[in-house]
Amino acid sequence: SVRLGAGREHKGDKINPGVGITLRAKLGDHVATGDSLAVVSYSDAARMEAQRDNLASAWVISEKPPVIGPLVIERIQSPTI
């Protein structure tokens, strides 16, 4: 979404609050042909077209369920707490 204008790649970049990606399917959800995985809101068609392949490669569709790791990998605490 940053590359579409929803965030900053560089300090001086402007943020477009109307740009973003809304996920419709999460990891492990069953999906069928034609199901919407996400909705992309954009304001610059050229930027969207340039990122189309990146967006499409963000998902892997498989018949096998994914291996979902732990939500928290490690907890770090201050020695004074």
Side-chain angles (χ1 to χ4, degrees):
S1 64
V2 169
R3 291 185 179 150
L4 295 174
R8 292 187 179 108
E9 288 188 83
H10 306 284
K11 184 179 177 182
D13 291 350
K14 292 184 179 180
I15 296 174
N16 184 336
V19 173
I21 300 171
T22 303
L23 299 178
R24 299 281 180 152
K26 64 182 180 187
L27 184 63
D29 282 355
H30 180 269
V31 295
T33 301
D35 286 354
S36 174
L37 303 178
V39 174
V40 180
S41 301
Y42 61 94
S43 62
D44 183 328
R47 282 179 109 172
M48 174 59 202
E49 198 55 42
Q51 295 306 316
R52 186 176 298 278
D53 288 342
N54 286 335
L55 289 166
S57 69
W59 288 269
V60 175
I61 308 296
S62 173
E63 299 219 3
K64 298 178 186 176
V67 175
I68 301 174
L71 184 59
V72 177
I73 297 172
E74 180 180 1
R75 186 172 179 171
I76 301 171
Q77 288 185 293
S78 170
T80 58
I81 296 179

